[in-house]
Amino acid sequence: MAETATKDMNVQVVEDKVTSPWKEALRTFLRSKSAVAGTVIVLFFILVALFAPIIAPEGINEQKLGDPSTHLVPPSSEFWFGTDEFGRDIFSRVVWGAQISLTVGFGAVVLSAVLGSFLGIIAGYYGRWVDTIISRFFDILLAFPSILLAIAIVSILGSSLQNALIAIAIVNVPNFGRLIRSKVLSVKEEEYITAAKAIGMKDSRILLRHILPNSFAPVIVQGTLAIATAIIEAAALSFLGLGAEPPQPEWGKMLADARIYLMNAPWTMIFPGLAIMLTVLGFNLMGDGLRDALDPKMKN
């Protein structure tokens, strides 16, 4: 019996040793209460954005023009978040605004991650003058405060939500580029990369099959945190009149339109502001959890 128990214990030890790194990362992530809470918040807002046509009781710009009594109405059973100066239901506009803010956040981060990762991989793998040129390009972009650079880009391209997305993506390119470049510099020195070069494998194949998969974990973490930053930057640009245009229910634009009613109708600013705060908080908590789960340096 003792021998059988010892064998079972040895089998269990072997199974634990061959556990997939991704499974171990998932376990670490799920053990973090804050990370799970952040994920729940993010999933909640994603579901709100997806099912906005069902959740929102009113249209984006449906107004009660013939009934002045519905203008600037405080929260009630009929209007959960109250109404704005045009009699529009704030709850419906906040729900629809989730689509816009999340679209800009995800779109900007995907675009910046693709461009930044491409430039970072090329710079880290080839080095020399290629690395010098790309690194100096990153340094130039990082020399400007992100919001000021975004404002300058939107001013050149023209005020619109699409141009704001492009500006935010450009601003975040160096963050992804420098991150993946540093990872590539260490990965390319591994023995399996040397072996791949020795057998004559093409650079493109090495980059796609070996370098990129082994360098992408930090990008996932950075991307999650960058979505929160992108949502704030999009709201800031819209607040300044350089992003969403009326009558789009973007949260930053809603804050800008409601700022003159802060004293007599504070709910017009409170609920869009809470939506921004909770969404950003959710992505930050989830990003911190992913960092702890995927970064070996964070593990004891």
Side-chain angles (χ1 to χ4, degrees), residues 248-266:
Q248 290 178 310
E250 200 276 333
W251 293 335
K253 182 60 178 175
M254 292 176 67
L255 288 176
D257 294 339
R259 67 185 185 277
I260 61 176
Y261 302 103
L262 177 61
M263 300 305 297
N264 60 336

Side-chain angles (χ1 to χ4, degrees), residues 101 104-106 108-109 168-169 172 225-236:
S101 294
V104 173
F106 279 103
V109 169
I168 295 170
N172 285 283
L225 297 172
I227 292 175
T229 304
I231 291 174
I232 294 177
E233 291 174 344

Side-chain angles (χ1 to χ4, degrees), residues 161 164 233-245 250-253 256:
L161 199 59
E233 291 174 344
L237 291 174
S238 296
F239 187 87
L240 297 173
L242 298 173
E245 298 178 351
E250 200 276 333
W251 293 335
K253 182 60 178 175

